[in-house]
Every structure is written in structure tokens, then in C-alpha cells.
Amino acid sequence: MAPLTLDSLRPAVLKVQYAVRGELAIKAEEYRVKLKENPGQSGLPFNQVISSNIENPQQKGLDQPPITCVRQVAALMEYRELQHLAPNAFPKDVIARADELYEEIGSIGAYSHSQGVPLIRKSIADFISDRDGYPADPNHIYLTGGASAGVSLLISMLISEPMKSGVLIPILQYPLYTATLAQPSGEPLPYHLDESDDWNTDLATIEAAIKETRNRDVVPKALAIINPGNPTGAVLEEETQRKIVQLCKTYGLVLLADEVYQANIHRATKHFTSFKRIVREMKSDVALVSFHSISEGVRGGYFECTNIPEDVIAMMYKMVSVGLCPPLQGQIGVDCMVRPPKIGDPSYALWKSETDTIHAALAQRTHQMVTELNKMEGVTCVDSPGALYLYPKTELSKKAVEAARKAGKEPDAFYALALLDATGICVVPGSGFGQKEGEWHYRLTCLCPGVVKFHEEFSKKYPKE
Amino acid sequence: MAPLTLDSLRPAVLKVQYAVRGELAIKAEEYRVKLKENPGQSGLPFNQVISSNIENPQQKGLDQPPITCVRQVAALMEYRELQHLAPNAFPKDVIARADELYEEIGSIGAYSHSQGVPLIRKSIADFISDRDGYPADPNHIYLTGGASAGVSLLISMLISEPMKSGVLIPILQYPLYTATLAQPSGEPLPYHLDESDDWNTDLATIEAAIKETRNRDVVPKALAIINPGNPTGAVLEEETQRKIVQLCKTYGLVLLADEVYQANIHRATKHFTSFKRIVREMKSDVALVSFHSISEGVRGGYFECTNIPEDVIAMMYKMVSVGLCPPLQGQIGVDCMVRPPKIGDPSYALWKSETDTIHAALAQRTHQMVTELNKMEGVTCVDSPGALYLYPKTELSKKAVEAARKAGKEPDAFYALALLDATGICVVPGSGFGQKEGEWHYRLTCLCPGVVKFHEEFSKKYPKE
Ligand SMILES: Cc1ncc(COP(=O)(O)O)c(C=O)c1O
Ligand SMILES: Cc1ncc(COP(=O)(O)O)c(C=O)c1O
């Protein structure tokens, strides 16, 4: 008797769609192995795979340099003797920070407080109150192993029987939300963003999605807003944010504010305002959970609870305790993010120039790529003021669509596979994020000039008529 | 309208019991803050809180030293320049290992393969085949952020509607299992371990628990075995393991083998045999998932799938992809665990003496503490050959039980709270693990001589008659 078959798994697991790491990513990985095992003789028309499917700026090939002081603190926490063995390798403020963290945490080989190291939660609270002008309570902050972990926790707690619990999620959405909702009693309630208005969030669309649930056994429980957006990079206006809070009030929704890209805005006319600040300014009692993260392989992040009753916060504590504690290095990474070196600190100059360079490069890359894309026949792309992605819309000829259907693929996935096969560039087809009927997009994250030449050739192979 | 109340949460969340970090741990944390904020003037009868509730040997106060080479590799991965800045701080083999990992991974600031870095999975496969004498496939190995994450993933995938899915879990169990099962359609199926037989696993008891489900809408889907046990430290005999595999075959159960304490056996007459090896020796096709971890703040671990169909493994891949990737430092920690320095390597001597010292200290501490406990009036404690815990059984007088009931507490929790208040030692009451009616235990993890004096005083305060 073979007990474990697909049929014996939770049916919702089978339904999870996770395009970011789907068929394309798997094929890209195979190409990467092939290139590695047969250097120079892979038979592939490229010699490097570029993972433009995930925002992964420090990956090989892109090699965005790490921030030195962050790595120095981490190294000193790993191996305390270094301050004696290599006394000149570390600036004074880095040593002082590591000493302070060590004094509080002790060895990073030990489990910490399940909610995260108290000192680091205090640093986060200071960061939030400096950012917003309103106080933050360290006891309402949970460190996590990345924003993903926080979002999963919240969604899984909010899903309650016997009716289905709905969570409103933006389309284009980041697939984490639908994947986490794939439980017998969870239901994603999609609302479309408006491409013609730079991917803005439209209140009437959300309201329509809420009303649509009335004739079904679904209780809308939360509204997820990604600001700045992924993959759109759109940054919300404060006026829109206030309306969103009002709407949560009206319909009794918990507001899940995914703000992981808050520091990634690269257009001078746009700026980020947290939902925490909006809620406080409005003196609103809407329940809000705000997510932030260092979003990388170190895996660190936090969420802050605003207007959440203490007994519910205690339940969260119980649930995170089951997982023991978030990774310590991620917690230390968050600490460096929320209190970077200050003017006057020995590390300040290097930190400043490193972060400025990274931001400038991102802005420049994004701008250059948008310009390239918009020059292409049949391609339009909203210029992204935030986040790290572009999401061009691509017309596909009838011939291309037919060829795709024949191959049993979505047309945009067919296009993306052809791109990967020809150039080694791995993107995410728009069908993984949700898009309007008859439209095709893909998401890419970095400067990939190879896309232009590929598109020309693809258009020749599948001409309009 | 305040949308977020306890009533609006998933009811199963409210039911989760997680004693290891429950009331006692919260109180211990408060004492810790008090001691820190009022050094020397806390008014408490102790000046240090000892977290004997979690296995946390590197915590402050115990300060089990970290393994140097593991930390050196981690530091070099964090801050690559160190090999130039402090060329003499690192042995050659450490530098070579970091170079090899860097060559494969690139920056640890980047997300890795969702299943874990391929090179590290290869190292794990080698470790397993060396251990068992049977090959292991890197594609069937998943790196995780600790065993907890792996167990949660597996259990959540196995729970399927519309009937309840049961998972057989040992009582004394590690509370992770019940907590993860607290879903509308998951049901823990407890089976008792036999204290009179050194906490051995009794097949008839498991079979009885399976048969008991027949009249209810519960399908037993998996059997969790913790070997070596937590909190018992019991190590299974191979004969028992074979019977367990046979039982999984008979009832079509997935075997979840939690083997995180496999390296922690400190009695010469006992040794650990993996279920992987048993399954292979028996040429059995029973579906087996084996968990191992570095179990600490770094958060790293892995699970290996044996006899699991490829399409199910692909589903796991999809599900872990949603979480992006396990923490890189944890993955690197696992790499060091599965391929420690070899004889002849410059790091070998230090690594050997550090690990020997730790093991000897653990064995000695455990033995000394067992001896102390068994000398106490009304206390008996099985000597633990494995893992890191002791689980003494403590008689409580009628007076003590009455005082506890009056205070609205389980008698063992009442005892443990009194212990904390008097000594600063935080243990886990047996009611958090499951115990037989009318018996009281607690779990402690380290050498806490303070327990002896406390027990005397408690027994005086609540005398037998
Ligand atoms: C909008 C959004 N939320 C959450 C995440 C996940 O963040 P983390 O890596 O901290 O889990 C991402 C990652 O790309 C993201 O784009
Ligand atoms: C039996 C058992 N399984 C799993 C775990 C969790 O391990 P990890 O820290 O790797 O998540 C523990 C931790 O103490 C344990 O005792």
C-alpha cells in the first residue's frame, strides 16, 4: 500500500499557483546546471542564466555589492574573536553595535525570544516613530524570517470556519497571497489594479469585490495592499490611502499593509507614507498589520500591529512560539536596516555611498530598461517609480497565440519560455500574477538588454499577418 | 466596528497549547526584564533566570561555547574581505570551504534555490549515505529553517478534507506536533510512551490508537516518531523500528521520523539507527520523511524523502517556493554539521576537542542531575541516554494539589511556578506534554542544582500529612 499519492494530499495544495518559481524557473535551473557541468560546451545559445524572475540583486551575475557595515556586524556576531584577531578590520561603531547586540542576545547559536530580540524590537519601534511621527510599541512588533512568514501567519490566523474567509488581494498580486490562502476555508478575493492609471488602486473596484461576496458563503476579513506595488512599482497617494482606511472601517476589514518596498522609491516626485501614519492621523481604530523586510537570503523582517486587541496579540505570540524563534542573523539584519550608521559614525560615509550607489543604479537601470521596452514594437511599459520590477504589456500576434495554444501553454508563458530558451533570461509570465483577458505581460527585475533583440526575432517568427 | 477579536480568529488557533513557551516562559521573561532593569535591587530571591524550558545550551548563563570552525565559515561568508583583512584568523580548510560555498552560492544576501543550495544538498546526501550505507538523492532533500518548519510543511500538506486527517503523535510529545495539527481538519492521535520501560514505544498502544479512529470520521495518515525522544531521551532498538515500519505498511501511514537528536546520545550501550536505514534494509516501500536540524538560533535543518512519489515531491517544491528559500546561514550551518572537518584538516583538532567537551559535559551534567533527582523524596527520574532533557516524575501531596486547584492551576504547573518564583529556574510542566491522569512531571534541560533545595522547601510547605 503506497499511502502517499497526490490524491492523499490536501486538495488546496494541488491548486496553489506559484508562477515566480514555476515551470520557467525550473527550466532555468536545469539550464544553469547544464552550463555549470559543460562550461563552454552546453550547446545553449547563452552562457549565463539571468534570474529576472525574482528580485535578487545580490545574485551572481548581477552582484550588487552587499552593504559593508551590515556584513561586518554579522561577521562579528558569528565569530566574536575577530575583534581581537583583526582589530583593524572593523570600524569602532560596528564593534560597539556588535558588543551591544551580544550583550543583549548572547550567542547567536541560542534561540531568542520567540517574538524577536527585545532590543531589536525597540530599535524597530524607534525607526517607526521617527518615520511616522507617532509612537510604536515594541510589544506590538514581531520579528519574522521575512515578510512571507508574517503574511502566512496572519492569513492563517484570520481564516475561520464554517464560512469561507476571504482576503482581498490586488491583481497584479504577489503570488504569496493566493498561495497562503489555498486552504479549504480561505478564498482570495481579487481586485484589479488600473494599468491605464499607472497601476493605481481603485476604491470602487475593491468595493465591488466585497459586494460580490454577499450572495456566497464568504466573509471578507482582510484587505491586502502592496505599497509600493509589486510588480507594478506604483506608490499610493495619501488621499487614496485614507479612502482605503475608511473602506476597511466600513466593512470591518483588517488592513494588511505589505510595505516591503518602502525604501525603494526612485522618483523624486513620489514618496512613501506608511499606513500606520495614515491610521494615526485619521485617529482611526482600523486594525492594521504592517509588514517590512530585508527581503533577501538572510531572511529577516518584522510586522507591526496597530489597533489589534492585546488578547489577539497574545495568540500571535503563542503561534510564533511554536516555530521557536526567527533566524537570529535575519533579526540582526533588520536591526541594521532600521538603525543604519548615523552622520559622524565611522561607518557612515561608506554606508552612505554604498546605498546611494545601489539606489542610483536601480533608478538608472529601471529608467533605461523602460525606455528600451517602450521603443519596441507592440510593447508598452508603465514606468515604475518604486519597487524593483517592470511589467511590460506585450501584444502577441494571432500566430503566436495559436502556436502557444498548440503547445498547451498560456501565450505569455510561451513567449517567456522562448525568451529563456533564446537568451537565458528568466522572467515571470503575467498569467502568474493575474491579468485581464486577452492581455499579456511579463515581469522582469533587472536590466536585460537581451530582451530587445529577442522580441524582434520572436515578432519575425510570428508576424502579425 | 472592531473587526479583529478573538472570536474572529480561526477557532483552532485558540485551542493550540504550547507549554514550552507558555505562562511560565512569559513570567520568566518578565523576571528577566526586572533583573536587567534593577540590577541588584529586583527584590527577587535570585539574580538570574535559567531557561531550563528550552534546549538552548548556548544561552547566556550556560554559555556552551560555539564550535569555532562553524562560526569561522559563517563569518567569512558574511564578510568576504576578512580573508584578506585577517589572513591569519582562519585555518586553510575553513577558507577553502568558504570559497567553495561562495563559488556555489554567491552572496548570502541573495535568495537561494527554494529547496536549498544544491551543493549543500549534495553534502547532506553524502552524510546520509555514509551514515546508513544506502544512497541518498539530493533532489529528495529539502533544506529548511529548522525541523519545525519541515514538520509544519509536511503536516499541513497531509491534512485533507472532508474527513479529519489524524497524525499519531507520542505522548510525551514535543508540542510542535499538536500545535501544527490545530487546523479544522487535523487531529492529533496520541499514543502513550511507557515510563516503566524507560519511555519505550509500544506497538500495541499505537495500534490501539489507530483502531480507535475507526468509529469516527478520522483517517490516520501519518505516524510521528521522535528518536531519540524529547523529552524522554529514549533511543529506539532496531527491532522496535522494524515493527514500526511494518505497522506503517499495514495501515498505510507516512512515517515522520524526527531524528533531530541523533548526535546526542551519551550512553555507550545505546546507538542511533536511522529509519532510512531500517526502511532500506527491509526493502520496504513505506513513505518516510526524516527530519534533522542544527536546532538553534541560526535556524537550519533538512528533511529527506524516502519512497515518496516524484509528483508529491514536486508539490513540496511548489509549497516551499512560496516561502522563497530557507535562511542561508542556516543552510551553511547544516553544511558544517553534515561535513565537519576531517582528520588531517587544520581545523580538525579544535573541532574534535570542542565537540568532545560539549558531549562529555552534557553526559556528565545529565548523569549528575539524574542522580540528584533520584535522591529526592518522592521524585523518580528515568536516566536519559539521548537528547538533552530530563523528565522527572514528582509526587505532589494532597495539600499541594488542593492549593493548586484553588489557584486554578494544574498541580505540576503550580509546582513549576513556585520553582520559578523561588529560584529563577524555568521548566516545562508535564501537563504541556501529556501525562497519565494523577501523575506529575516536569521537563528540565540542564544542570539546575537549585531544584533540590526548592523541592525540600516545597515538600515542607505542603507536607504529605
Ligand atoms: C510584495 C512582496 N511582499 C513580500 C515579499 C516577501 O518578502 P520576504 O523575502 O521578506 O519574505 C516579497 C518578495 O519579493 C514581495 O515582493
Ligand atoms: C523533537 C524535536 N523536534 C523538532 C524540534 C525543532 O527543531 P528546530 O529548532 O530545528 O526547528 C525540536 C526542538 O527542540 C525538538 O525537540
Side-chain angles (χ1 to χ4, degrees), chain A residues 4 6 9, chain B residues 115 137-142 153 157 288-289 303-320:
Chain A
L4 198 55
L6 281 188
L9 297 183
Chain B
Q115 193 171 346
D137 181 343
N139 292 321
H140 296 169
I141 292 167
Y142 279 77
L153 173 72
M157 288 182 69
L288 164 71
V289 183
F303 62 85
E304 185 197 15
C305 301
T306 305
N307 296 332
I308 311 269
E310 290 297 333
D311 51 4
V312 172
I313 291 188
M315 282 297 142
M316 289 179 189
Y317 181 70
K318 187 177 69 177
M319 297 309 284
V320 297

Side-chain angles (χ1 to χ4, degrees), chain B residues 51-56 362 388-390 443-447:
Chain B
S51 295
S52 194
N53 55 326
I54 41 175
E55 172 268 301
N56 207 3
L362 256 178
L388 305 165
Y389 305 96
L390 290 171
R443 184 184 85 174
L444 81 172
T445 60
C446 51
L447 193 53

Side-chain angles (χ1 to χ4, degrees), chain A residues 8 10 60 103 159 221, chain B residues 8 10 60 103 159 221:
Chain A
S8 65
R10 218 172 71 202
K60 280 175 116 172
E103 178 55 35
I159 290 175
K221 300 197 76 169
Chain B
S8 64
R10 216 172 74 201
K60 280 174 113 172
E103 178 55 35
I159 291 175
K221 300 196 76 169

Side-chain angles (χ1 to χ4, degrees), chain A residues 85-86 89, chain B residues 76 79-90 95 99:
Chain A
L85 293 170
Chain B
L76 269 182
Y79 189 32
R80 298 289 298 151
E81 280 70 30
L82 280 173
Q83 51 188 318
H84 310 300
L85 293 169
N88 301 322
F90 301 96
I95 294 179
D99 284 349

Side-chain angles (χ1 to χ4, degrees), chain B residues 339-411:
Chain B
R339 46 168 191 151
K342 288 184 296 295
I343 297 182
D345 289 347
S347 292
Y348 181 78
L350 183 59
W351 172 81
K352 179 88 174 98
S353 91
E354 286 173 343
T355 46
D356 284 354
T357 307
I358 291 172
H359 281 135
L362 256 178
Q364 191 267 334
R365 273 188 197 174
T366 307
H367 184 72
Q368 183 177 342
M369 194 69 214
V370 169
T371 313
E372 295 274 358
L373 286 167
N374 279 317
K375 271 194 240 156
M376 282 154 64
E377 180 74 25
V379 176
T380 51
C381 184
V382 172
D383 191 357
S384 161
L388 305 165
Y389 305 96
L390 290 171
Y391 196 63
K393 180 157 82 178
T394 305
E395 282 173 24
L396 296 177
S397 68
K398 242 192 196 152
K399 286 211 172 81
V401 174
E402 272 161 22
R405 301 289 181 216
K406 235 186 186 161
K409 310 254 176 237
E410 289 291 322

Side-chain angles (χ1 to χ4, degrees), chain A residues 55 145-149 174 176-177 226 230 258 260-261 293-296 299-300 389, chain B residues 111 324:
Chain A
E55 172 268 300
S148 309
Y174 174 66
L176 166 66
Y177 289 86
I226 304 178
N230 168 4
D258 181 334
V260 302
Y261 296 114
S293 96
I294 51 173
S295 242
E296 42 161 46
R299 314 316 321 269
Y389 304 97
Chain B
Y111 294 121
L324 297 164

Side-chain angles (χ1 to χ4, degrees), chain B residues 86-139:
Chain B
N88 301 322
F90 301 96
K92 277 220 178 75
D93 57 327
V94 162
I95 294 179
R97 181 191 290 259
D99 284 349
E100 184 188 5
L101 287 168
Y102 188 78
E103 178 55 35
E104 166 93 4
I105 301 174
S107 166
I108 60 164
Y111 294 121
S112 74
H113 192 294
S114 299
Q115 193 171 346
V117 172
L119 176 77
I120 299 180
R121 280 189 278 128
K122 170 88 176 50
S123 303
I124 297 172
D126 292 344
F127 161 80
I128 294 171
S129 65
D130 287 352
R131 184 192 66 191
D132 295 340
Y134 293 92
D137 181 343
N139 292 321

